[in-house]
Amino acid sequence: MTPDALEAALRRIGAERYHNLHPFHRALHDGRLDRAQVQAWALNRYCYQSHIPMKDATLLARLPTAALRRAWRTRLVDHDGETQGEGGVARWLVLTDALGLDRSYVESLSGVLPATRFAVEAYVHFVRDRSILEAIASSLTELFAPTIIGERVSGMLRHYDFVDRQALAYFTPRLTQAPQDAAFALAYVCAHATSVAEQDAVLEALRFKCDVLWSMLDALEHAYVVPGHIPPGAFRP
Amino acid sequence: MTPDALEAALRRIGAERYHNLHPFHRALHDGRLDRAQVQAWALNRYCYQSHIPMKDATLLARLPTAALRRAWRTRLVDHDGETQGEGGVARWLVLTDALGLDRSYVESLSGVLPATRFAVEAYVHFVRDRSILEAIASSLTELFAPTIIGERVSGMLRHYDFVDRQALAYFTPRLTQAPQDAAFALAYVCAHATSVAEQDAVLEALRFKCDVLWSMLDALEHAYVVPGHIPPGAFRP
């Protein structure tokens, strides 16, 4: 495939499998969840968010040049910030605070669904164990993030009186960070995935990442949407 | 805790969290699933079964004495057999054959739910990355296996005319293998978990393993029991 064809194939995967298509996302966006369900979503999403810098550091540790490492290091800055209280991880806690969750409980991860943990760990391990090409390719869901961010922020502000713009502060910087990240990763995979096997691996890496995100929403839906089946030990609203 | 108290604490975890308590297991045992749902269960369970020897080899590779390695090697023999067609993995395929699933499709794992994969991988990685004590402790669900095997075999034979004793051949050797395995692992953890921290780690390892098994049934229930939500790419009956 040419680079353009590879990009088109990646975008097709997003059109079919990105989690904006998931019923739970639709319910979140359309105001059909209650506050407890939004709490459960935010609590579990914190497990994912708090592991993103670990995932990126795992990948960064494998990058063989200063140029690649500097480019990937921007993600650590985006999520960990320069100081306490800054960065994406800290901004997610602003949301969980606004939803009335105890911050130390959120940070302990003790209420997180096992299925969330396993999906998040699968992502970190993928980036540790697979080829660098596949690891970078797995970040390409960022190609689709701006769409979902727009829907989510507008939908949640419209429908839930228990969230305001400040609560959703996580998302605003992501509108510019995600496209920058995605552009770098897309350029990298187009330059380095030149054989059929490499291109198949890139597409499979994106499907894997879509599976990670989709399975987390499946787990939330199963546990917290009627009829909820909350597994032993997990958050009970 | 004394060894007896540690064993009692382990058994309490099983009494609260082992997957014989899961609604999907109850439905499987009570004949409330249809053949397609039993197919989905067997297909996904093959992902777990086929990774058990990999999990055990991962652990074996870390054991520092010949005596420990010989003891753990029995598990490889149990699941991989001595020759083609023998062993637990091969016997599981007898079940999937009997249920009408294409063998190469089953072995490809291509229809397996992502959540199943992530749970199975979490188990293999746990055994790779955690302490040897925790890795061995994570096998202790085998303390509870004989109960569920009895329920499952009798329940399935009673309720499903599409399975017979030969189809369920996987389970019979497990009735003696599981207790032997569990006795070894229990003796090991009782001998080596002498501090409070070590005993807490042992209990947490068993809770983790219960989470792995429970989350796999959650995923099956969500995808294949009414109203089913089958994620992109997974088995569609």
Side-chain angles (χ1 to χ4, degrees):
Chain A
M1 280 184 269
T2 63
D4 282 353
L6 181 58
E7 180 177 349
L10 288 163
R11 290 187 181 281
R12 265 198 305 281
I13 289 171
E16 290 160 12
R17 293 176 178 244
Y18 190 58
H19 62 164
N20 65 326
L21 301 168
H22 194 285
F24 189 92
H25 168 75
R26 306 256 45 96
L28 177 68
H29 168 246
D30 294 345
R32 288 183 278 112
L33 298 182
D34 61 32
R35 185 163 171 267
Q37 290 164 332
V38 179
Q39 284 182 325
W41 167 75
L43 180 80
N44 278 268
R45 178 69 184 254
Y46 181 78
C47 178
Y48 176 79
Q49 294 301 139
S50 61
H51 281 77
I52 290 300
M54 298 165 76
K55 182 273 295 183
D56 285 320
T58 299
L59 210 170
L60 192 151
R62 303 179 61 202
L63 296 173
T65 69
L68 281 171
R69 289 190 298 269
R70 282 190 301 262
W72 212 264
R73 206 173 74 213
T74 61
R75 295 161 181 264
L76 294 184
V77 176
D78 290 346
H79 288 286
D80 285 336
E82 295 288 0
T83 185
Q84 174 93 11
E86 282 187 11
V89 180
R91 294 197 312 276
W92 198 266
L93 290 169
V94 168
L95 173 55
T96 57
D97 286 350
L99 292 171
L101 289 166
D102 177 79
R103 189 177 269 228
S104 60
Y105 176 71
V106 173
E107 287 180 296
S108 74
L109 305 182
S110 62
V112 172
L113 294 167
T116 302
R117 295 179 199 273
F118 299 155
V120 170
E121 286 166 13
Y123 188 25
V124 180
H125 292 149
F126 186 95
V127 151
R128 173 179 66 180
D129 297 336
R130 299 297 189 101
S131 68
I132 292 168
L133 177 63
E134 292 166 285
I136 289 175
S138 69
S139 73
L140 283 168
T141 43
E142 285 182 305
L143 287 169
F144 320 124
T147 312
I148 205 175
I149 289 171
E151 286 183 340
R152 177 174 294 157
V153 172
S154 62
M156 290 181 73
L157 287 176
R158 184 180 316 131
H159 294 295
Y160 301 118
D161 56 16
F162 50 83
V163 289
D164 61 13
R165 273 191 193 289
Q166 276 168 301
L168 300 177
Y170 170 82
F171 295 101
T172 316
R174 297 300 300 150
L175 283 168
T176 47
Q177 291 167 355
Q180 281 168 354
D181 290 345
F184 177 85
L186 184 60
Y188 183 94
V189 305
C190 287
H192 290 81
T194 48
S195 72
V196 170
E198 288 165 335
Q199 292 178 346
D200 283 347
V202 161
L203 297 173
E204 197 52 43
L206 181 58
R207 281 186 210 100
F208 161 79
K209 175 64 175 301
C210 288
D211 287 347
V212 167
L213 299 175
W214 194 277
S215 73
M216 291 194 292
L217 296 187
D218 274 346
L220 280 168
E221 189 170 48
H222 183 68
Y224 296 106
V225 177
V226 176
H229 299 284
I230 301 171
F235 171 65
R236 289 187 178 269
Chain B
M1 280 184 268
T2 64
D4 282 353
L6 180 58
E7 180 177 348
L10 288 163
R11 291 187 182 281
R12 264 197 307 280
I13 290 171
E16 290 160 11
R17 293 176 178 244
Y18 189 58
H19 63 164
N20 66 326
L21 301 167
H22 194 285
F24 189 91
H25 168 76
R26 307 258 42 96
L28 176 69
H29 168 246
D30 294 345
R32 287 182 280 111
L33 298 182
D34 61 32
R35 185 163 170 267
Q37 290 163 333
V38 180
Q39 285 181 324
W41 168 74
L43 180 80
N44 278 270
R45 178 67 185 255
Y46 181 78
C47 178
Y48 176 79
Q49 294 301 140
S50 62
H51 281 77
I52 290 301
M54 298 165 76
K55 181 272 295 183
D56 284 321
T58 299
L59 212 168
L60 192 152
R62 303 179 61 202
L63 296 173
T65 70
L68 282 170
R69 289 189 299 269
R70 283 191 300 262
W72 212 264
R73 207 172 75 213
T74 60
R75 295 161 182 264
L76 294 183
V77 176
D78 290 347
H79 288 285
D80 285 337
E82 295 287 2
T83 185
Q84 173 95 10
E86 285 185 10
V89 180
R91 293 197 313 275
W92 198 267
L93 290 169
V94 169
L95 173 55
T96 57
D97 287 349
L99 292 170
L101 289 167
D102 177 78
R103 188 176 270 228
S104 60
Y105 176 70
V106 174
E107 287 181 296
S108 74
L109 306 182
S110 63
V112 171
L113 294 167
T116 302
R117 295 179 198 272
F118 300 155
V120 169
E121 287 168 12
Y123 187 26
V124 179
H125 292 148
F126 186 95
V127 152
R128 173 178 66 179
D129 299 336
R130 297 301 188 98
S131 68
I132 292 168
L133 177 63
E134 291 166 287
I136 290 175
S138 69
S139 72
L140 283 167
T141 43
E142 285 183 303
L143 287 169
F144 320 123
T147 313
I148 204 175
I149 289 173
E151 285 183 338
R152 178 174 293 157
V153 171
S154 62
M156 290 180 73
L157 288 176
R158 184 180 316 129
H159 295 294
Y160 302 119
D161 57 14
F162 51 83
V163 290
D164 60 14
R165 275 191 192 289
Q166 276 168 301
L168 300 177
Y170 169 80
F171 294 101
T172 315
R174 296 301 299 151
L175 283 167
T176 46
Q177 291 166 355
Q180 282 168 352
D181 290 346
F184 177 85
L186 184 59
Y188 184 94
V189 306
C190 288
H192 290 81
T194 47
S195 72
V196 170
E198 287 166 333
Q199 293 178 347
D200 283 348
V202 161
L203 296 174
E204 197 53 42
L206 181 58
R207 282 186 210 101
F208 161 78
K209 175 65 174 301
C210 288
D211 287 346
V212 166
L213 299 176
W214 193 279
S215 73
M216 292 195 290
L217 296 187
D218 274 347
L220 281 168
E221 190 172 48
H222 184 67
Y224 295 106
V225 177
V226 176
H229 300 285
I230 301 172
F235 171 64
R236 288 186 180 270

